[in-house]
Amino acid sequence: MCYHVSNESDVETLKAEFKLPVDKLEQFKKRYDFNGFEKPFLPVMTTPKSLDLYRWRLVPPNVTDEKAFRFNTLNATNYDLFNRDKMWWKYAKHNRCLVLCTGFFEPHYPDLNNKKNYESWYIKPSEKKFFAMGAIYSTWKGINTFAIVTQDASPMIGAIHNDGKRQPLILKGDAALSWMIPGLSENQIMDLTYFQYPEDKLSAYRVIDGVYSNQIDTNLPQVLDPYGNPLGKAA
């Protein structure tokens, strides 16, 4: 799953990359490690001409007390998006957005029988500055909140995130633009959730351990430095 992302670029780089103004600049924060459980604000696009800041952790509009809302809604699995027994389908149908980040972290377990010991790995685009992750959103008490859509991991990312073998939905080009088009059918939306970002456009490597630990401050530039030999690094 995707619970930690980075956004190492400042707001001026973001504006220059997408050639768009950014609303709510006071909420934009450059961080090397965003922990989704801290409910940070991240840059989001809902149309090719808009760039805003939404809060990570989708909260439905009918929730009166967020503390009483016990569900983990940082991620939404693609195969559940239109399951009517789940909460996602209305947002997947009408409220889709792209979450922008410079990379994301996943844990790797050398021994799947020992979950106490894990390595931290970082995945980023090898040619671009930003990833665009498919997400869905809800407006709760005037705050736009989102969940990142996840899909089955590619072979390379599955070798890293070997417990669960999931990854965020990373979109590019026409797939990214299509994700924001209103009025798509459920089949069209589901087809987009199977888009596979080219592995030869990814760079993945081990970083300092402890990214998923609450006891360690990993919001440091060093958290993005390679540690050991890259696994499946793009040629």
Side-chain angles (χ1 to χ4, degrees):
M1 308 301 278
C2 181
Y3 296 148
H4 286 251
V5 304
S6 69
N7 213 327
E8 60 183 301
S9 296
D10 57 29
V11 69
E12 295 304 321
T13 302
L14 185 69
K15 289 164 61 176
E17 181 75 9
F18 293 95
K19 299 178 175 61
L20 292 169
V22 183
D23 293 332
K24 304 175 185 174
L25 290 184
E26 70 280 1
Q27 293 178 338
F28 183 90
K29 293 183 180 180
K30 171 181 174 178
R31 286 182 65 92
Y32 303 98
D33 177 16
F34 281 101
N35 181 345
F37 291 100
E38 296 176 353
K39 297 181 290 189
F41 283 85
L42 294 173
V44 162
M45 296 179 72
T46 54
T47 75
K49 295 183 179 181
S50 70
L51 192 54
D52 205 342
L53 290 163
Y54 286 15
R55 203 190 73 181
W56 195 358
R57 193 212 182 200
L58 187 145
V59 182
N62 62 340
V63 170
T64 56
D65 181 4
E66 186 176 4
K67 291 183 179 179
F69 181 63
R70 301 295 185 181
F71 296 95
N72 179 356
T73 54
L74 296 178
N75 294 165
T77 54
N78 62 335
Y79 51 77
D80 276 334
L81 287 184
F82 293 106
N83 181 343
R84 292 313 196 258
D85 292 329
K86 304 289 184 179
M87 70 178 73
W88 309 122
W89 68 273
K90 290 182 180 179
Y91 313 117
K93 182 68 175 176
H94 302 291
N95 296 356
R96 296 182 304 280
C97 61
L98 297 174
V99 176
L100 308 177
C101 64
T102 53
F104 63 97
F105 300 88
E106 295 289 5
H108 173 75
Y109 298 92
D111 180 359
L112 283 171
N113 294 316
N114 182 4
K115 297 298 180 62
K116 292 183 178 180
N117 294 322
Y118 69 92
E119 300 168 353
S120 301
W121 286 73
Y122 184 58
I123 299 97
K124 67 177 184 178
S126 58
E127 296 180 352
K128 295 181 176 293
K129 293 180 180 178
F130 293 91
F131 277 142
M133 294 182 177
I136 57 178
Y137 69 92
S138 165
T139 302
W140 175 76
K141 293 188 175 182
I143 303 171
N144 290 318
T145 66
F146 70 86
I148 293 173
V149 176
T150 65
Q151 61 178 192
D152 290 337
S154 69
M156 185 181 81
I157 298 178
I160 296 170
H161 189 200
N162 55 337
D163 176 34
K165 296 185 180 293
R166 301 286 295 173
Q167 70 171 68
L169 172 63
I170 311 169
L171 299 169
K172 67 187 295 287
D174 290 342
L177 292 173
S178 296
W179 185 255
M180 297 183 287
I181 294 175
L184 295 182
S185 69
E186 292 184 12
N187 286 338
Q188 289 174 317
I189 295 166
M190 284 304 300
D191 284 345
L192 288 171
T193 72
Y194 294 106
F195 178 85
Q196 198 77 146
Y197 197 93
E199 285 195 339
D200 63 352
K201 305 299 183 185
L202 296 174
S203 178
Y205 54 88
R206 184 181 174 185
V207 295
I208 59 174
D209 294 334
V211 169
Y212 278 74
S213 170
N214 292 328
Q215 308 301 315
I216 302 173
D217 179 11
T218 51
N219 183 34
L220 304 166
Q222 297 92 318
V223 76
L224 303 182
D225 292 340
Y227 173 93
N229 295 320
L231 173 65
K233 182 175 172 60

